[in-house]
């Protein structure tokens, strides 16, 4: 299933992308794409609905972030061997974990705001894992039992804030609108192999990233198990699993985003995003 949320900011309706390409309203069945609705039991109930009986929503409506109620937006740094190399950094002996503020989450096609004082706003296409039920001390073998599905995430980053201002990475990752997520939460039954998905990103039509989740250092199963040893993962939590090479920071000379730039990105089977970058007032 491809679950989504459509409508104005703060007033999104839960929806499903039907087989005929129409967007169908799930409001009569679930209050949102969140919590119990994305548990294994909740997803079974949604799967049993005849989408032909659901009201059609306008395809012109804004698409919101594909999951609501996210308590934690956990990111994994330097998790692609080829990206670590372009960054001039060693592959870490354990996953690098940092948090992105949930206030950064926005719709996949919303404008992204370049924060005041920014000179190094950068792009990163990432595979997002959405948790469907509480995970604590889970084994790698059982890890996917706790995953609701996958989505495209754009881990927008301000590199000067991230690496030149002292302290941890969070402040360079958490600016408002720095977490476009969606368009869909694609349930795991529709993703044959999360470790073999093509990923790409373009800036103003120019290809910048063209990679695959196959080059992840630490895969989805490992990450869910690993994180659950340190903190409980709850329904709606997002794990953004790292980016392949081709980010602006790694170019010679480095290249960063400016007001008016348009970024398009996508992951095989998970949909696409398109954002215009705007200087924040």
């Amino acid at each position: 299933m491809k679950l989504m949320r459509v409508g104005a900011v703060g007033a999104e309706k839960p929806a499903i992308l039907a087989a005929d390409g129409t967007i169908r309203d799930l409001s009569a069945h679930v209050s949102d794409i969140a919590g119990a609705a994305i548990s294994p039991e909740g997803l079974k109930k949604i799967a049993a609905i005849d989408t032909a009986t659901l009201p059609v929503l306008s395809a012109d409506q804004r698409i919101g972030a594909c999951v609501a109620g996210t308590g934690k937006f956990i990111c994994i740094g330097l998790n692609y061997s080829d990206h670590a190399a372009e960054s001039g950094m060693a592959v870490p002996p354990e996953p690098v974990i940092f948090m992105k503020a949930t206030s950064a989450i926005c719709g996949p096609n919303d404008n992204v705001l370049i924060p005041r004082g920014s000179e190094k706003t950068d792009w990163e296409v990432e595979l997002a894992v959405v948790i469907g039920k509480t995970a604590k001390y889970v084994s790698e073998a059982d890890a996917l039992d706790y995953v609701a599905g996958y989505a495209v995430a754009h881990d927008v980053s301000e590199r000067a804030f991230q690496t030149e201002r002292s302290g941890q990475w969070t402040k360079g990752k958490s600016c408002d609108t720095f977490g476009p997520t969606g368009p869909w939460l694609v349930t795991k039954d529709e993703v044959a192999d999360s470790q073999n998905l093509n990923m790409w990103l373009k800036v103003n039509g120019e290809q910048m990233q063209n990679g695959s989740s196959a080059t992840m250092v630490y895969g989805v199963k490992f990450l869910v198990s690993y994180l659950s040893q340190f903190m409980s993962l709850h329904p709606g939590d997002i794990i953004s699993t790292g980016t392949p090479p081709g980010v602006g920071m790694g170019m010679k000379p480095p290249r960063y985003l400016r007001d008016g730039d348009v970024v398009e990105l996508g992951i095989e089977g998970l949909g696409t995003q398109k954002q215009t970058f705007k200087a924040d007032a």
Side-chain angles (χ1 to χ4, degrees), residues 93-257:
E94 292 190 38
V96 173
I97 302 171
F98 61 92
M99 296 292 192
K100 198 175 187 82
T102 56
S103 55
I105 296 172
C106 65
N109 305 316
D110 290 347
N111 290 341
V112 173
L113 301 176
I114 299 173
R116 292 182 185 178
S118 168
E119 293 294 334
K120 297 182 178 181
T121 293
D122 204 349
W123 57 83
E124 294 189 16
V125 58
E126 304 208 359
L127 171 65
V129 179
V130 179
I131 298 299
K133 68 175 183 177
T134 300
K136 184 174 183 179
Y137 301 131
V138 304
S139 69
E140 190 170 345
D142 294 336
L144 292 187
D145 293 344
Y146 298 85
V147 172
Y150 304 94
V152 181
H154 190 180
D155 179 21
V156 186
S157 309
E158 211 301 335
R159 303 301 189 187
F161 295 178
Q162 177 187 355
T163 63
E164 299 172 19
R165 296 279 298 271
S166 185
Q168 298 179 341
W169 289 1
T170 302
K171 60 182 173 290
K173 298 284 190 170
S174 296
C175 304
D176 292 350
T177 71
F178 269 26
T181 307
W184 314 311
L185 167 58
V186 181
T187 52
K188 63 187 176 187
D189 58 293
E190 291 199 7
V191 180
D193 184 0
S194 62
Q195 303 306 149
N196 189 28
L197 299 175
N198 294 324
M199 311 165 68
W200 59 272
L201 182 145
K202 297 178 181 180
V203 178
N204 299 327
E206 181 182 353
Q207 189 93 43
M208 298 298 181
Q209 292 186 274
N210 185 16
S212 170
S213 60
T215 65
M216 271 189 198
V217 178
Y218 301 105
V220 171
K221 293 178 183 178
F222 180 89
L223 290 172
V224 172
S225 173
Y226 180 83
L227 291 167
S228 77
Q229 310 307 310
F230 304 103
M231 64 191 87
S232 294
L233 304 174
H234 297 118
D237 284 353
I238 296 169
I239 305 169
S240 201
T241 56
T243 197
V247 300
M249 176 180 65
M251 295 184 174
K252 300 186 186 305
R255 176 174 169 179
Y256 297 110
L257 295 164

Side-chain angles (χ1 to χ4, degrees), residues 2-138:
K2 294 179 173 68
L3 304 176
M4 56 196 304
R5 303 170 64 250
V6 297
V9 176
E12 295 91 346
K13 289 183 176 181
I16 187 169
L17 185 70
D20 63 1
T22 57
I23 300 171
R24 301 282 179 149
D25 189 354
L26 283 171
S27 297
H29 299 271
V30 296
S31 59
D32 210 337
I33 306 301
I38 59 173
S39 68
E41 297 77 16
L43 292 176
K44 285 180 183 177
K45 290 179 181 178
I46 295 173
I49 299 168
D50 179 1
T51 56
T53 66
L54 299 174
V56 176
L57 295 173
S58 170
D60 296 330
Q61 288 194 72
R62 169 186 174 270
I63 301 174
C66 61
V67 65
T70 297
K72 294 188 287 297
F73 197 145
I74 308 166
C75 297
I76 309 299
L78 301 173
N79 195 34
Y80 282 68
S81 54
D82 35 12
H83 172 57
E86 76 169 346
S87 301
M89 300 181 186
V91 172
E94 292 190 38
V96 173
I97 302 171
F98 61 92
M99 296 292 192
K100 198 175 187 82
T102 56
S103 55
I105 296 172
C106 65
N109 305 316
D110 290 347
N111 290 341
V112 173
L113 301 176
I114 299 173
R116 292 182 185 178
S118 168
E119 293 294 334
K120 297 182 178 181
T121 293
D122 204 349
W123 57 83
E124 294 189 16
V125 58
E126 304 208 359
L127 171 65
V129 179
V130 179
I131 298 299
K133 68 175 183 177
T134 300
K136 184 174 183 179
Y137 301 131
V138 304

